Amino acid sequence: MLIVLPPSETKSFGGDGAALDLASLSFPSLTATRSDIAHDLARMDDEQAMNVLGLSAKLRDEASHNRQLFSSPTQPAILRYTGVLYDALDPASLSREAWQHLSIGSALFGVLMANDHIPHYRLSGSVKLPPAHRTLKSRWGSQITDELASYQEKHSGPVIDLRSGTYQQLGKLPGAITIRVESERPDGTRKVVSHFNKHYKGLVARQLASHADSFDSTPLALPAIADCLGEAGMRVEMPSGKSTELTLVV
């Protein structure tokens, strides 16, 4: 099983790892594009970066961190990203075996495994970097999709895609299992959860990563995943037809 998480705008600072080594990251076929994007990001001065990245004056330091992309310390990606989803996931308390089933989609790195060491940076999936000002979707092309498909083929387990729409568009995997979070009103009607969506997906990722090894040879992935989440007290509904989207009702 591979669980693909969204990145976060907020990230932790510091780290005790060596400077960024693109060649050491997982999914090495992405190295060339990672390098191109990273160098384009790092060469912008603060003023240009603030304009391109849409940063306010109080986030000026984020632009400075990008210029130090190749010299600042690193730490595991799963600890670098912070925010609501990662608070619910609480990766520091998970076993290293669980980490092996967690990955993160990224505008800069494409897709990372949890233990890949990366520095602090700022780049969202909707940015067009100079000098070419191409979309990141066009720069990544089919590379992320190809890597996820290759991983799935080699490891014979389901891929759970918890990325938001912007990051799915950088490299969708056809047939990946997705989670729709809906809240139920007292009258029985429902609405899609937006504000707490990340919180619930963090809980989903934690439960599945903690039990991931039991799915690697399971042919009926959707029912098994629904059962696993149900064991954690989550209410999950199966899709109709050929859909691979589970519904989490909260």
Side-chain angles (χ1 to χ4, degrees):
M1 172 183 284
L2 182 68
I3 303 161
V4 189
L5 303 172
S8 61
E9 293 286 353
T10 56
K11 300 173 184 67
S12 61
F13 292 90
D16 56 10
L20 176 63
D21 177 10
L22 292 172
S24 73
L25 302 179
S26 303
F27 308 105
S29 72
L30 304 180
T31 300
T33 301
R34 287 166 171 163
S35 180
D36 289 344
I37 295 173
H39 281 92
D40 285 347
L41 187 63
R43 68 168 53 99
M44 290 190 293
D45 62 35
D46 287 2
E47 294 301 327
Q48 184 182 28
M50 290 173 66
N51 181 55
V52 170
L53 302 177
L55 301 177
S56 63
K58 68 179 182 180
L59 293 176
R60 187 185 186 90
D61 285 350
E62 296 286 272
S64 298
H65 279 287
N66 282 348
R67 289 193 288 106
Q68 301 164 18
L69 195 61
F70 292 98
S71 60
S72 58
T74 61
Q75 65 175 335
I78 200 67
L79 301 179
R80 177 65 71 193
Y81 297 98
T82 61
V84 174
L85 185 149
Y86 291 89
D87 286 345
L89 175 64
D90 191 13
S93 69
L94 290 173
S95 69
R96 292 304 182 267
E97 289 74 19
W99 278 27
Q100 294 176 15
H101 299 280
L102 293 169
S103 65
I104 304 102
S106 166
L108 173 54
F109 299 108
V111 61
L112 297 159
M113 293 302 293
N115 202 40
D116 284 328
H117 278 57
I118 61 170
H120 184 100
Y121 73 93
R122 183 70 172 240
L123 179 65
S124 68
S126 58
V127 168
K128 298 178 181 179
L129 287 174
H133 297 282
R134 292 170 54 201
T135 65
L136 289 167
K137 179 180 178 180
S138 71
R139 295 182 71 154
W140 283 112
S142 67
Q143 294 176 75
I144 298 172
T145 296
D146 294 343
E147 279 299 301
L148 291 175
S150 177
Y151 184 99
Q152 185 176 39
E153 182 178 351
K154 289 177 182 176
H155 293 82
S156 303
V159 172
I160 319 298
D161 191 350
L162 301 181
R163 292 174 296 171
S164 59
T166 297
Y167 291 94
Q168 283 188 355
Q169 289 303 316
L170 295 183
K172 267 192 173 183
L173 178 65
I177 296 169
T178 58
I179 306 287
R180 178 184 177 91
V181 184
E182 295 183 346
S183 63
E184 190 169 64
R185 300 184 178 96
D187 64 2
T189 60
R190 295 182 183 176
K191 65 175 181 178
V192 175
V193 172
S194 54
H195 182 66
F196 289 105
N197 182 284
K198 294 178 181 179
H199 170 76
Y200 291 113
K201 286 188 175 179
L203 296 179
V204 166
R206 181 178 179 84
Q207 174 68 2
L208 294 180
S210 300
H211 299 83
D213 287 337
S214 64
F215 295 100
D216 286 347
S217 59
T218 302
L220 300 176
L222 279 170
I225 289 168
D227 288 345
C228 180
L229 296 177
E231 290 171 3
M234 301 182 198
R235 178 182 167 191
V236 180
E237 295 178 348
M238 294 287 292
S240 59
K242 296 182 179 180
S243 172
T244 55
E245 182 179 65
L246 294 168
T247 301
L248 174 63
V249 184
V250 298

